[in-house]
Amino acid sequence: MDHLDSMSEVKHQRIKTNGIWLHVAEKGTGPLVLLLHGFPEIWYAWRHQLNYLAQHGFHAVAPDLRGYGDSDSPIDPNSYTMQHIVGDLIGLLDHFGQQQAFVVGSDWGANIGWNLSLFRPDRVKAYVALGVPYFPRSATTKSVEAIRKLFGDECHVCQFQEPGRAERSFARYDYLTVMKKFLLITSTDFLAAPQGMEIIDFLPTPSTVPSWITEEELMVFADKFLESGFTGPLNYYRAMDLNWELLAPWQGSKITVPTKYIAGDKDMVFKSWGMKDFVESGVFKSLVPNLEVVIIDGHHFIHQEKAQQVSHEILSFISKFTTSATSI
């Protein structure tokens, strides 16, 4: 019960930013920590970190990113570029009157955090990326084409491109089952279905829920997606090639903000695509010179699966950049 009690202390508000309304959940006072969720999550993915950071003298703020939960969800996939989403977040920082914030991102949220750090390093005090490293923009090949070459037409990124296709296939299942299929993934392979099969059909439905999450917690996600649908979240994938075009001015740029990268050793992103070699070689560090890397035991949604450990890793890093978390 105490977990639900602690959630009741979370404050909720909708904030006008960049022409849309964003819902944010927040807790605590002190230096601002912006928590950016991934696919298919909402602010609630950070429930453990909201409590932990608030207890340790930080103002933790977890938005529903545009297209998700109780935030506005523009219909057009072209409204989901990194410029739009980073713009939303700059508006949040301005709303809270903060020149700089600590930023933590997981999955798509990690990608967004990298781009926030790339576009506006002046606004990011330090960054913690979970699961997804910073990889450089290809000078020659669009993102979806590059992923198709590596993983084939039936990988999730490719299947998600066609408007309506994934929405129709997801609709064959109840929302709790869809959540279980994604959030409880233990496969270490990049998401690719056999020829002619939809990703959602290919993903197994675990018969039991692991100890780190409950059916009730999964229902919080399911109920929100029942209200909002999946088109907004899927539009992030559908804007990938437009992102590739818009990111051309930053070709060859490095990430200069102090950064910590945390990945689960069994994370499907970390385990595929030569990502492990990329992270462990000098290439990642050459792109992000001010980098720490921590690999822990776990899978993709590590901030939920290993909440205490990840919260501690976040706190130990951002505390280096605060004189005192409790002082004004």
Side-chain angles (χ1 to χ4, degrees):
M1 228 357 254
D2 65 316
H3 177 57
L4 290 172
D5 286 345
S6 62
M7 280 295 96
S8 67
E9 296 162 27
V10 172
K11 275 173 43 191
H12 295 269
Q13 61 171 316
R14 272 162 63 88
I15 294 167
K16 189 75 184 277
T17 169
N18 197 19
I20 64 166
W21 289 91
L22 279 193
H23 163 253
V24 303
E26 55 180 316
K27 191 169 181 183
T29 56
L32 181 63
V33 186
L34 195 56
L35 302 163
L36 309 175
H37 67 77
F39 174 88
E41 295 179 307
I42 52 172
W43 72 270
Y44 190 70
W46 298 109
R47 58 198 175 282
H48 305 292
Q49 287 74 29
L50 280 165
N51 287 327
Y52 186 89
L53 290 166
Q55 285 162 8
H56 288 86
F58 289 89
H59 178 200
V61 174
D64 285 338
L65 295 169
R66 72 161 56 202
Y68 283 90
D70 293 320
S71 291
D72 285 356
S73 186
I75 295 301
D76 187 350
N78 294 343
S79 296
Y80 290 80
T81 70
M82 282 297 163
Q83 274 79 356
H84 286 92
I85 298 152
V86 169
D88 296 347
L89 301 177
I90 294 296
L92 283 190
L93 296 190
D94 291 347
H95 169 86
F96 287 113
Q98 298 297 311
Q99 174 53 34
Q100 285 197 315
F102 295 109
V103 180
V104 183
S106 169
D107 184 77
W108 264 104
N111 206 2
I112 293 158
W114 289 120
N115 283 280
L116 173 57
S117 301
L118 181 66
F119 299 163
R120 294 302 301 274
D122 58 312
R123 305 301 298 268
V124 182
K125 197 173 284 189
Y127 178 46
V128 180
L130 305 181
V132 178
Y134 177 64
F135 27 84
R137 176 188 182 274
S138 165
T140 54
T141 312
K142 289 189 176 186
S143 306
V144 177
E145 186 188 333
I147 289 169
R148 183 174 274 116
K149 279 181 184 164
L150 280 168
F151 300 109
D153 289 332
E154 307 303 343
C155 75
H156 71 293
V157 171
C158 298
Q159 285 197 3
F160 290 175
Q161 293 306 307
E162 184 191 323
R165 176 181 173 180
E167 290 92 328
R168 285 190 298 275
S169 66
F170 287 15
R172 293 200 292 271
Y173 299 89
D174 65 86
Y175 283 83
L176 180 61
T177 301
V178 175
M179 289 300 108
K180 286 180 176 177
K181 281 172 172 278
F182 279 109
L183 296 181
L184 307 182
I185 282 175
T186 55
S187 167
T188 55
D189 297 325
F190 198 73
L191 294 186
Q195 195 62 37
M197 190 176 192
E198 295 297 309
I199 279 289
I200 198 74
D201 298 331
F202 174 66
L203 288 173
T205 308
S207 51
T208 57
V209 173
S211 60
W212 54 266
I213 200 165
T214 64
E215 289 267 347
E216 290 75 21
E217 287 173 315
L218 284 162
M219 275 309 296
V220 174
F221 293 97
D223 287 344
K224 258 321 148 199
F225 282 101
L226 175 62
E227 287 175 26
S228 67
F230 288 103
T231 297
L234 290 163
N235 278 342
Y236 284 69
Y237 294 91
R238 292 166 189 160
M240 284 173 75
D241 279 348
L242 179 55
N243 271 328
W244 179 83
E245 295 177 30
L246 294 174
L247 285 167
W250 289 271
Q251 184 68 36
S253 291
K254 295 182 190 308
I255 301 285
T256 56
V257 303
T259 303
K260 184 175 199 170
Y261 171 75
I262 305 168
D265 60 351
K266 292 177 279 293
D267 183 329
M268 59 193 171
V269 176
F270 183 64
K271 292 286 283 189
S272 57
W273 214 349
M275 207 66 83
K276 186 171 185 287
D277 293 339
F278 170 75
V279 167
E280 291 173 350
S281 71
V283 184
F284 187 24
K285 184 94 165 98
S286 71
L287 296 163
V288 189
N290 201 344
L291 177 72
E292 285 180 31
V293 173
V294 177
I295 309 301
I296 65 177
D297 171 40
H299 298 87
H300 187 60
F301 296 100
I302 194 97
H303 50 304
Q304 298 193 64
E305 182 189 2
K306 293 292 168 72
Q308 189 69 25
Q309 192 175 355
V310 168
S311 295
H312 175 73
E313 290 286 354
I314 293 167
L315 182 69
S316 69
F317 184 64
I318 65 177
S319 295
K320 295 180 193 176
F321 304 95
T322 52
T323 43
S324 164
T326 47
S327 68
I328 300 304

